[in-house]
């Protein structure tokens, strides 16, 4: 029978400098803080959230994540659980047909064709991103990212522009019914090119929300449960496109935090003070850009700016910057 492992001591710590006691203590402290933060969120949703039957609110139905790491494996887990097929087409879109957003007060035909093309073929675009975080938002985002997001590889908001200085990869993952080929979920996976860490592993779809006149864009982020954002489409007079989650009541657009509460029931907390706003436009030079603002209690927490360019154009631009001398130089 193997002897029981012994606890680390000062003597064997000196022999094994790879695991110093201070690092162990810090790791244990981080684990403890993360446990209480994540557990506190779960308890808060269970106590204050509305208990619903999944069948009674189909617009809230979504895959739920488990405690622990989410990361890139979430799509494989969903495909396995729901017997779906995974495909990664090179020009897949977040919204396969932009006309799915058409409603009484939203006309997709009024949106600039380049914007429509991006949403229908997002995988064919290269993303560049810049980030700006408010002083107040920096502390709260640091708590979220440091103790929860990095551990589960989900919702890793880039707090510093240095984190995204080398760019962000973008991959659109389709989860389909094997027999019919119907797209059940569209995943948008974004990672830091510098480290490979997952920033967002989301699921995109369009859905009818009870209190909104037009179909909404639904974004689900599986975590310990899920975080669902429902965004209303907006057509601006200049042909630019908006997505707005600033609903003011249950059953409207906005942010919904969901956790399990039994086999077929969920606890859902609607957070009406947390809003997201997207403004997608074509600038004076014909470049496609997006402003993404997240606010809480009316205060801007983080502002992200995206530049989207067709992947082929981006590759050509990089190639054109390489001089013949640079190409012929030995490595």
């Amino acid at each position: 029978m193997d002897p029981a492992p012994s606890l680390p001591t000062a003597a064997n710590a000196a022999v094994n400098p790879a695991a110093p006691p201070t690092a162990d203590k810090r790791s244990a402290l981080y684990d403890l803080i993360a446990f209480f933060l994540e557990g506190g969120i779960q308890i808060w949703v269970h106590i204050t959230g509305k208990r619903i039957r999944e069948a009674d609110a189909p617009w809230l139905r979504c895959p739920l994540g488990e405690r622990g790491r989410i990361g890139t494996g979430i799509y494989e887990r969903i495909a396995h659980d729901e017997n779906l097929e995974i495909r990664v087409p090179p020009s897949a879109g977040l919204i396969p047909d932009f006309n799915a957003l058409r409603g009484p007060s939203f006309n997709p035909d009024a949106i600039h064709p380049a914007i429509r093309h991006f949403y229908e073929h997002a995988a064919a675009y290269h993303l560049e991103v810049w980030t700006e975080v408010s002083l107040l938002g920096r502390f709260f985002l640091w708590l979220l990212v440091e103790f929860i997001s990095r551990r589960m590889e989900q919702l890793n908001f880039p707090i510093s522009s240095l984190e995204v200085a080398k760019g962000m990869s973008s991959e659109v993952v389709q989860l389909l019914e094997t027999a019919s080929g119907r797209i059940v979920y569209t995943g948008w996976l974004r990672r830091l090119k510098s480290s490979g860490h997952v920033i967002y592993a989301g699921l995109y779809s369009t859905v009818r929300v009870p209190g909104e006149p037009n179909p909404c864009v639904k974004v689900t982020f599986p975590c310990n449960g899920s975080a669902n954002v429902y965004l209303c489409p907006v057509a601006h007079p200049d042909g630019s496109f908006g997505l707005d989650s600033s609903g003011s009541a249950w059953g409207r657009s906005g942010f919904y935090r969901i956790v399990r509460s039994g086999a077929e029931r969920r606890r859902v907390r609607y957070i009406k003070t947390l809003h997201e706003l997207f403004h997608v436009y074509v600038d004076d030079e014909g470049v496609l850009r997006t402003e993404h603002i997240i606010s809480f209690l009316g205060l801007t927490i983080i502002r992200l700016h995206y530049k989207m360019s067709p992947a082929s154009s981006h590759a050509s631009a990089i190639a054109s910057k390489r001089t013949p001398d640079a190409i012929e130089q030995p490595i």
Side-chain angles (χ1 to χ4, degrees):
M1 184 174 180
D2 293 333
S6 59
L7 294 174
T9 63
N12 61 36
V15 175
N16 180 20
T22 52
D24 290 342
K25 289 179 180 178
R26 181 179 179 184
S27 178
L29 177 62
Y30 270 46
D31 289 342
L32 187 64
I33 294 173
F35 174 80
F36 280 107
L37 281 176
E38 190 171 353
I41 292 172
Q42 293 284 309
I43 292 170
W44 173 67
V45 176
H46 273 286
I47 292 174
T48 65
K50 181 182 291 189
R51 193 165 189 253
I52 64 164
R53 288 179 66 250
E54 213 178 21
D56 294 338
W59 57 283
L60 287 170
R61 187 180 295 127
C62 62
L64 301 180
E66 304 291 343
R67 184 181 179 87
R69 190 172 183 272
I70 300 297
T72 60
I74 186 61
Y75 303 119
E76 287 80 4
R77 200 213 78 189
I78 294 170
H80 177 268
D81 291 348
E82 301 189 25
N83 194 28
L84 302 174
E85 179 184 348
I86 294 179
R87 292 182 188 171
V88 189
S91 61
L94 300 177
I95 303 174
D97 182 1
F98 198 74
N99 287 315
L101 295 174
R102 187 180 300 275
S105 57
F106 179 75
N107 180 11
D109 299 332
I111 303 302
H112 193 289
I115 297 171
R116 293 176 55 118
H117 188 272
F118 169 75
Y119 277 95
E120 293 178 345
H121 305 280
Y125 283 76
H126 170 81
L127 302 182
E128 294 179 64
V129 61
W130 295 264
T131 182
E132 180 183 346
V133 183
S134 68
L135 187 61
L136 177 64
R138 189 172 296 274
F139 173 71
F140 289 106
L141 285 179
W142 176 80
L143 280 177
L144 174 67
V145 171
E146 187 73 14
F147 296 105
I148 299 179
S149 299
R150 283 181 184 162
R151 292 165 180 265
M152 68 178 179
E153 288 271 302
Q154 177 69 292
L155 293 174
N156 270 303
F157 294 100
I159 300 174
S160 166
S161 285
L162 290 176
E163 294 182 78
V164 290
K166 292 186 178 180
M168 175 190 294
S169 69
S170 171
E171 188 175 8
V172 178
V173 181
Q174 294 179 343
L175 285 80
L176 309 93
E177 289 181 343
T178 304
S180 67
R182 181 179 70 90
I183 299 173
V184 180
Y185 304 109
T186 297
W188 194 13
L189 177 65
R190 283 163 286 175
R191 289 183 274 193
L192 291 173
K193 286 187 176 180
S194 57
S195 63
H197 290 318
V198 173
I199 305 176
Y200 311 109
L203 299 166
Y204 286 71
S205 61
T206 57
V207 68
R208 286 280 183 178
V209 177
E212 299 295 347
N214 306 307
C216 290
V217 173
K218 173 183 177 181
V219 188
T220 296
F221 295 103
C223 42
N224 190 357
S226 79
N228 283 9
V229 185
Y230 297 84
L231 300 134
C232 294
V234 180
H236 296 290
D238 62 355
S240 61
F241 177 59
L243 287 170
D244 189 351
S245 73
S246 57
S248 57
W250 175 276
R252 301 282 310 274
S253 64
F255 183 92
Y256 293 76
R257 185 67 170 87
I258 304 174
V259 298
R260 285 186 178 85
S261 183
E264 296 183 2
R265 294 185 180 271
R266 305 287 182 258
R267 284 282 182 180
V268 184
R269 172 68 190 191
Y270 175 62
I271 307 174
K272 66 179 180 181
T273 53
L274 180 60
H275 298 152
E276 283 194 73
L277 179 66
F278 294 83
H279 181 216
V280 189
Y281 63 98
V282 178
D283 69 13
D284 294 339
E285 297 180 348
V287 177
L288 190 59
R289 298 182 182 273
T290 297
E291 296 290 342
H292 176 198
I293 298 172
I294 300 175
S295 62
F296 182 62
L297 294 172
L299 300 174
T300 297
I301 300 299
I302 184 171
R303 183 190 301 267
L304 298 163
H305 176 82
Y306 292 88
K307 175 184 175 183
M308 298 94 78
S309 55
S312 56
S313 299
H314 177 73
S316 299
I318 292 175
S320 66
K321 292 179 181 178
R322 298 176 63 191
T323 63
D325 290 339
I327 294 173
E328 293 173 2
Q329 287 177 353
I331 297 175

